Amino acid sequence: MIVATAGHIDHGKTLLVKALTGVDTDRLPEEKARGISIDLGFAYWPLANGGLIGFVDVPGHERFIHNMLAGVCGIDFALLAVAADDGVMPQTVEHLQILSLLGIRRGVVAITKTDRVDPARIAEVQTEVHALLAGSSLAGITVLPVSAVTGAGIEHLRHTLVAAAVGHAARYREGQHFRLAIDRAFSVAGSGTVVTGTVFNGEVTPGDRLVVSPRGVPVRVRGIQIRGSAAERAQAGDRCALNLAGIEVEAVARGDWVLDEAIHAPSRRMDVRFTLLATERAALAHWTPVHLHLATADVMARVATRGSAAIAPGTSALVQLIVEAPIAALNGDRFILRDRSAGRTLGGGTVIDPLAEARRRASSDWLAALEHGTPEAALADLLKIPELAVDCARFETVFNLSAARAGSMYQSFDAAILGRTQRVAIARSGAAAIRDSVLARLGEFHRAQAQAPGIDATALRKQVARWLSAEAFSFLLRDLAEARQLEVHGSTVRLPGHDATSNAADEEMWRAVLPALLAGRYAAPAIAELARRLGIDEAKLRDFLHRKSKTGEVMRVAEDLFYPKATLATLAANAALVARSASRGLFSAAQYRDATGIGRTRAIKILEFFDTLGITQRIGDTRKMHKNFVPILGPAKPALAAASAADRDVRARRKS
């Protein structure tokens, strides 16, 4: 359990930690000289049951609130100190406000320096503290009078802390990537760069490869220490030190994170829920400059309110924070805003979408879903939003989900995942509705435009699912094609069996064209010649043959040159016969020309077409059979003329 002190300067926080642990957390020479805490101090208290309480002692002076904020991030329990002689002071109030804004709900108040006052004053301060706690996140916590000088009440305080540690539930870490907020960075002779901080998520082991974010520097974990001793792992809720390889100490500082590369996504815009303190005298205006404190980071930002409306004291609103420098954050992270001069705390809140887009404001439905706080609740709501495809990579980063946990969630909520490089999730029922719309639209299109080969895929997407990405829609079409519910040819989509020439006019033209093509045998006439022979408009004939080629009954061999599929099958059989007769199965275009009895130019065009189909393969100036032509063109036997020519060639080679 991690405990942070809080309270006004000189109210005995450091002495209290020393009384509990024996450790003086003031480590800096200046702290010793001035007698006040300036930066964070750390101490550990091993418990008899094997547990451990880690203390983060924070400075109480108003000038060092930024250090205090770095110390209270990620804590489990607050130890608020209030001096019996002074009572509640300005930083008592501000520290309590900060703890409340950060959502800290467990803690204890120590009324310190009771040896200096009488019992009546102690009772008076206790009443004052209870009134201060009312309305905060720590309302109702135990208030104990103690003295670090005489030891009075210290044992009671110990029992209270031990009971809290025993009842402390370990932080959830399954299915999450590792993330540690850095509060110190230094160099150790012989070891190199060392960083310390609190583990927010996941776990780490020596040898793990991580990233220092937001800078994006890849590092390797050489070693881990917890409470000064080497450890085999550190996990969510631990304070630890990491010895990092791959980075110089000058390149890492308080405010950075060490995290898994999967969640390295620095951002300069965040959608957040912000609450302005009720003690503020004026409303917070749009575009107000502020100090943003998130985890251990302190960066300048602007508050962009919706509709440029001001935020009244004591109210909360959805706002966007525009940060001067990139910052790393996740959904659910707590933050504090202080004024431009860092003189007072304005309020705080929770990060909703750390990857907000600059182009447009997020929809209220999207933010409402993400504001649920758990990925399960968010996904359930997102899948219900009409015409929304959940960007899986973004969703998994925002909620820090491992691939296994995300996959299990998608399955549990019956989500359909579309795409590979840019996956999106939609409700499976929604995906089924899109599929039905695609098939229905294709049917309507074929009935209205029977001579068209199909619909362009881009146009089809705009008609049935404009909101879906092109990749996701193509993925859905491929599923339908694999199920043989539609066919995709290039960018054209059609229903199986659709024949763009299945109408009276085209059938009449086919009855005239097919005999003419068959009559040409291996030297089928080009379109211009065929049009002259049949007395058909050349442009209409060309359009018809291109549409007819989609059915496979006729195939385009070269520009303006079409062959019936059956004729091409015979020509392929001739090529196979020539190959069997040739040395090592390699034959030339001239040998094929002689076997088929057609001109050399036509023979080369046919062989090049066979190359594109994979039936033949060119090797220098020769070719060989590469695939069985039957599955592609259908069964056929070689023509007798070709067989006789091949046989003569074989007999001639035998005689020689």
Side-chain angles (χ1 to χ4, degrees):
M1 184 175 76
I2 300 175
V3 178
T5 62
H8 197 77
I9 183 174
D10 199 31
H11 275 207
K13 298 183 293 298
T14 301
L15 192 58
L16 196 57
V17 172
K18 186 175 182 179
L20 291 167
T21 67
V23 176
D24 183 357
T25 57
D26 281 347
R27 54 188 172 80
L28 302 176
E30 187 180 355
E31 291 177 317
K32 299 292 188 183
R34 297 174 61 181
I36 63 171
S37 297
I38 296 172
D39 204 352
L40 304 177
F42 306 96
Y44 297 94
W45 177 20
L47 303 181
N49 64 359
L52 180 72
I53 297 178
F55 288 88
V56 182
D57 186 28
V58 307
H61 196 287
E62 62 179 337
R63 288 176 51 198
F64 304 120
I65 286 288
H66 61 286
N67 289 336
M68 178 270 180
L69 283 160
V72 296
C73 74
I75 66 168
D76 304 305
F77 196 90
L79 173 55
L80 179 63
V82 181
D85 50 358
D86 284 342
V88 172
M89 295 290 282
Q91 264 53 64
T92 312
V93 175
E94 187 170 20
H95 282 204
L96 180 60
Q97 288 173 332
I98 288 169
L99 292 172
S100 192
L101 289 167
L102 292 175
I104 307 303
R105 301 186 180 281
R106 303 176 69 226
V108 63
V109 179
I111 306 296
T112 60
K113 303 185 181 183
T114 55
D115 55 293
R116 298 185 180 185
V117 299
D118 58 31
R121 175 58 181 165
I122 295 173
E124 182 182 342
V125 173
Q126 283 179 312
T127 301
E128 190 179 4
V129 168
H130 281 297
L132 177 67
L133 292 173
S136 76
S137 65
L138 292 169
I141 63 173
T142 302
V143 179
L144 299 175
V146 300
S147 171
V149 174
T150 66
I154 295 296
E155 197 59 33
H156 192 178
L157 178 58
R158 282 199 180 99
H159 286 309
T160 301
L161 291 170
V162 169
V166 170
H168 175 63
R171 296 188 193 178
Y172 183 85
R173 61 181 180 274
E174 299 300 324
Q176 293 184 326
H177 299 290
F178 176 78
R179 191 171 63 133
L180 174 141
I182 298 173
D183 52 42
R184 283 196 300 160
F186 50 91
S187 184
V188 175
S191 296
T193 302
V194 175
V195 300
T196 67
T198 300
V199 182
F200 274 54
N201 309 98
E203 62 180 30
V204 64
T205 58
D208 285 354
R209 295 190 178 276
L210 302 168
V211 171
V212 172
S213 187
R215 302 167 192 232
V217 181
V219 294
R220 178 176 55 83
V221 179
R222 280 178 172 164
I224 303 170
Q225 283 195 353
I226 296 178
R227 196 168 55 101
S229 300
E232 289 303 312
R233 71 180 60 248
Q235 57 196 22
D238 287 339
R239 276 200 56 81
C240 70
L242 302 180
N243 181 200
L244 302 178
I247 192 169
E248 298 298 324
V249 70
E250 295 81 11
V252 63
R254 175 179 291 178
D256 291 340
W257 295 85
V258 182
L259 43 73
D260 192 286
E261 185 179 14
I263 52 173
H264 169 58
S267 171
R268 294 185 65 170
R269 288 178 179 267
M270 299 186 295
D271 287 317
V272 304
R273 169 70 66 177
F274 171 71
T275 300
L276 184 65
L277 288 173
T279 52
E280 280 297 292
R281 295 179 179 178
L284 188 75
H286 170 69
W287 210 241
T288 298
V290 294
H291 276 267
L292 166 63
H293 295 268
L294 192 151
T296 57
D298 174 6
V299 294
M300 292 302 297
R302 295 270 184 176
V303 180
T305 62
R306 295 200 159 209
S308 301
I311 303 171
T315 65
S316 67
L318 288 171
V319 302
Q320 192 170 91
L321 297 179
I322 293 85
V323 190
E324 284 191 357
I327 191 170
L330 295 177
N331 174 275
D333 284 350
R334 294 278 186 154
F335 66 88
I336 299 293
L337 296 187
R338 306 194 81 222
D339 72 333
R340 187 174 195 167
S341 63
R344 73 182 192 280
T345 298
L346 301 174
T350 306
V351 175
I352 300 173
D353 185 355
L355 305 178
E357 298 178 3
R359 296 191 308 273
R360 56 184 174 80
R361 291 294 184 128
S363 72
S364 56
D365 287 342
W366 166 263
L367 292 179
L370 265 58
E371 199 170 3
H372 281 308
T374 69
E376 290 82 4
L379 182 61
D381 271 11
L382 289 173
L383 293 175
K384 296 174 185 175
I385 300 175
E387 298 189 358
L388 173 70
V390 181
D391 182 328
C392 295
R394 180 179 178 184
F395 179 78
E396 291 161 23
T397 299
V398 165
F399 282 102
N400 188 10
L401 302 176
S402 67
R405 185 181 175 196
S408 177
M409 283 177 52
Y410 297 142
Q411 186 174 6
S412 297
F413 288 95
D414 202 26
I417 307 301
L418 307 178
R420 287 190 174 86
T421 58
Q422 295 181 327
R423 300 169 301 128
V424 297
I426 63 175
R428 195 169 299 279
S429 58
I434 295 173
R435 292 188 181 97
D436 290 344
S437 296
V438 165
L439 298 177
R441 180 68 191 105
L442 285 173
E444 293 169 358
F445 182 83
H446 290 328
R447 286 191 292 273
Q449 302 185 45
Q451 292 185 318
I455 306 179
D456 178 75
T458 301
L460 182 60
R461 179 177 67 87
K462 290 179 179 179
Q463 292 173 27
V464 300
R466 179 183 292 270
W467 52 274
L468 204 57
S469 70
E471 181 185 344
F473 189 70
S474 295
F475 192 87
L476 187 147
L477 291 181
R478 283 196 295 273
D479 278 352
L480 286 169
E482 288 174 5
R484 298 185 179 181
Q485 291 183 274
L486 55 73
E487 295 174 353
V488 180
H489 294 272
S491 62
T492 302
V493 186
R494 71 185 186 205
L495 292 176
H498 171 68
D499 182 356
T501 61
S502 182
N503 57 78
D506 282 345
E507 287 171 2
E508 182 180 351
M509 184 175 287
W510 184 232
R511 285 194 294 269
V513 170
L514 179 59
L517 290 175
L518 291 173
R521 288 177 57 75
Y522 307 149
I527 289 179
E529 182 185 348
L530 187 60
R532 284 195 300 271
R533 289 185 191 178
L534 300 176
I536 300 173
D537 179 77
E538 183 179 334
K540 288 185 177 179
L541 178 59
R542 179 178 287 104
D543 174 69
F544 167 77
L545 286 172
H546 277 279
R547 287 187 286 109
K548 193 66 178 177
S549 67
K550 304 295 184 183
T551 68
E553 294 179 78
V554 64
M555 304 180 81
R556 180 176 174 270
V557 171
E559 186 66 31
D560 288 353
L561 186 61
F562 290 81
Y563 273 79
K565 187 176 182 180
T567 303
L568 289 171
T570 303
L571 286 167
N574 288 349
L577 178 63
V578 173
R580 288 197 299 271
S581 306
S583 174
R584 293 180 300 165
L586 299 174
F587 63 95
S588 66
Q591 287 174 297
Y592 184 69
R593 173 200 63 194
D594 294 341
T596 55
I598 59 178
R600 185 174 185 277
T601 301
R602 182 68 63 97
I604 289 173
K605 287 182 178 180
I606 291 170
L607 289 174
E608 288 176 345
F609 178 67
F610 288 161
D611 292 343
T612 64
L613 295 179
I615 293 171
T616 56
Q617 180 181 2
R618 183 173 179 176
I619 303 174
D621 291 332
T622 63
R623 281 178 172 79
K624 69 174 183 178
M625 298 303 293
H626 184 59
K627 286 183 182 178
N628 181 5
F629 69 86
V630 175
I632 301 171
L633 299 174
K637 294 181 179 181
L640 292 176
S644 299
D647 289 343
R648 286 196 302 272
D649 186 52
V650 171
R651 287 196 297 271
R653 283 194 288 106
R654 284 175 180 172
K655 287 179 181 180
S656 64

